C-alpha cells in the first residue's frame, strides 16, 4: 500500500545513526519481521527514487477516546543524499511510503535456538524478528558486530526482550575484539551439534561469512540482503542477485525486493556480488 505518513519523531541515536517514528494506516500493523518500506525522502524529483528501509518496530497507541493509531519505526544510517535529507526532517513533516513490502523471515521450529547475527545497521530488521521469536518461546541469542560501540544499536531493547546479546567490535570498544562471526563460531562449537537456525543481516562480507559457517555446519540460515533498489515491487529488475545455479551459461537471478529481501543462504550464489 502507498500512504502519506507523518513523522512523529526523528532523532540521532548514535553518531550518523538515526531513529524515525512514523504514522501508518491500521493495515500496516500486519507487517512481518524482515519486511521493508520504500520511502520517498524528498518532495522534489531529486532524489527521484524511493529508498528502502527495514521495519524496525511496529506498534499502536490507544487514546482515552478509544481511537487507535498505528506507528512504525526505522533505524537508518546517513550514507548519502537520501538519508541526509531524511535526517533533516522533523516531527510533523510528512513522507510518502510504499509498504510493507517483500518476503520476511520464516520462524522455523520453535524449540531450537535462534541465532541472530547483525552487523551495524543490519540490526534493524532483527528486533521485530527477535520479538516474534521470543513470543513463540524460542531461545534467542543476538550476535551484534560493528567497527566500534557506536555501531551497536538498541542492544538494551533486545535485552529487555530477554535476548542474550554477544557483541564484538573491530576496535575493541565493546565486547570481544574482532569480527562477530568469531563469537558465533564459539557458540556453535559449544552447542555441540544441537540444532539451531541462523538469521543474518549486515554488510556483504559478514553475510558471506555467516553463510559459509551455516554451510560448513549444515545449519539453516536466512539472510536479509540490502541490494540497491529502484521500484521495490519487482518491476524494474534493478535489484537482482545471483541464485545458487547462476553461471555464465545458465542465468539464475533472484529478485531481492519481490522474492526477498530474506533468502535461505543456500539459495544464493556467494560470489563477488551476493
Ligand atoms: C531491503 C532493504 C532494507 C534496508 N534497510 C535499511 C535500514 O533499515 N536502515 C538503513 O540505514 N539502510 C537500510 N538499507 C540501505 C538503504 O536503503 C541505503 O543506505 C539508502 O538507500 C542510501 O540512500 P542514500 O540516498 O542516502 O545514499 P546514496 O546516495 O544512494 O548512496 C550513498 C552510498 O551508499 C551506498 N549504498 C546505497 N544503497 C546501499 C545499500 N542498499 N547497501 C549498501 N550500500 C548502499 C552507495 O553505493 C553509495 O556509496 C536497506 C536496503 C534494502 C535493500
Ligand atoms: S527494485 Fe525493481 S525489481 Fe526490485
Amino acid at each position: 500500500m502507498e500512504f502519506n505518513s507523518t513523522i512523529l519523531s526523528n532523532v540521532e541515536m548514535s553518531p550518523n545513526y538515526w531513529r524515525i517514528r512514523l504514522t501508518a494506516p491500521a493495515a500496516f500493523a500486519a507487517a512481518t519481521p524482515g519486511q521493508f518500506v520504500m520511502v520517498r525522502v524528498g518532495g522534489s524529483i531529486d532524489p527521484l527514487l524511493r529508498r528502502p528501509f527495514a521495519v524496525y518496530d511496529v506498534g499502536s497507541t490507544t487514546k482515552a477516546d478509544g481511537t487507535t493509531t498505528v506507528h512504525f519505526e526505522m533505524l537508518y544510517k546517513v550514507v548519502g543524499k537520501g538519508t541526509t535529507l531524511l535526517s533533516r526532517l522533523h516531527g510533523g513533516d510528512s513522507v510518502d511510503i510504499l509498504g510493507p513490502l517483500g518476503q520476511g523471515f520464516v520462524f522455523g521450529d520453535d524449540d531450537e535456538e535462534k541465532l541472530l547475527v547483525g552487523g551495524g545497521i543490519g540490526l534493524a530488521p532483527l528486533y521485530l524478528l527477535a520479538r516474534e521469536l521470543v513470543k513463540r518461546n524460542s531461545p534467542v541469542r543476538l550476535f551484534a558486530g560493528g567497527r566500534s560501540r557506536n555501531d551497536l544499536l538498541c542492544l538494551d531493547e533486545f535485552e529487555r526482550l530477554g535476548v542474550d546479546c554477544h557483541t564484538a567490535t573491530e576496535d575493541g570498544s565493546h565486547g570481544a575484539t574482532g569480527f562477530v562471526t568469531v563469537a558465533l563460531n564459539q557458540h556453535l562449537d559449544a552447542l555441540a551439534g544441537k540444532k539451531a537456525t541462523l538469521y543474518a543481516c549486515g554488510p556483504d562480507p559478514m553475510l558471506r561469512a555467516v553463510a559459509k559457517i551455516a554451510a560448513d555446519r549444515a545449519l539453516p540460515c536466512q539472510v536479509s540482503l540490502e541490494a540497491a533498489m529502484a521500484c521495490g515491487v519487482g518491476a524494474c529488475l534493478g535489484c537482482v542477485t545471483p541464485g545458487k545455479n547462476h553461471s555464465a551459461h545458465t542465468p539464475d537471478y533472484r529478485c531481492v525486493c519481490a522474492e526477498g529481501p530474506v533468502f535461505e543462504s543456500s539459495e544464493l550464489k556467494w560470489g563477488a556480488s551476493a
Side-chain angles (χ1 to χ4, degrees), residues 238-264:
C239 64
V240 296
T241 195
K244 63 178 175 189
N245 298 319
H246 183 76
S247 72
H249 305 294
T250 318
D252 170 24
Y253 286 107
R254 309 299 155 96
C255 180
V256 176
C257 68
E259 296 176 77
V262 177
F263 294 90
E264 275 294 333

Side-chain angles (χ1 to χ4, degrees), residues 16-18 34-38 41 47 49-56 73-86 101 121-125 201-204 224-229 239 256-257 260-262:
N16 247 12
Y17 289 102
W18 290 67
Q35 285 194 299
F36 66 99
V37 291
M38 296 292 285
V41 289
L49 301 175
R50 294 170 189 266
R51 300 297 195 257
F53 298 97
V55 176
Y56 173 74
E73 289 182 281
M74 307 177 327
L75 308 182
Y76 64 95
K77 183 176 184 181
V78 173
V79 295
K81 193 164 203 170
T83 45
T84 300
L85 282 174
L86 194 58
L101 301 168
I121 197 65
L123 285 168
C201 185
D204 285 351
S224 181
L225 300 185
E226 290 199 353
M229 289 183 179
C239 64
V256 176
C257 68
V262 177

Side-chain angles (χ1 to χ4, degrees), residues 55-91:
V55 176
Y56 173 74
D57 197 8
V58 191
S60 59
T61 317
T62 304
K63 290 191 192 141
D65 64 4
T67 53
T68 299
T69 52
V70 171
H71 60 261
F72 72 101
E73 289 182 281
M74 307 177 327
L75 308 182
Y76 64 95
K77 183 176 184 181
V78 173
V79 295
K81 193 164 203 170
T83 45
T84 300
L85 282 174
L86 194 58
S87 71
R88 291 187 185 145
L89 299 178
H90 300 103

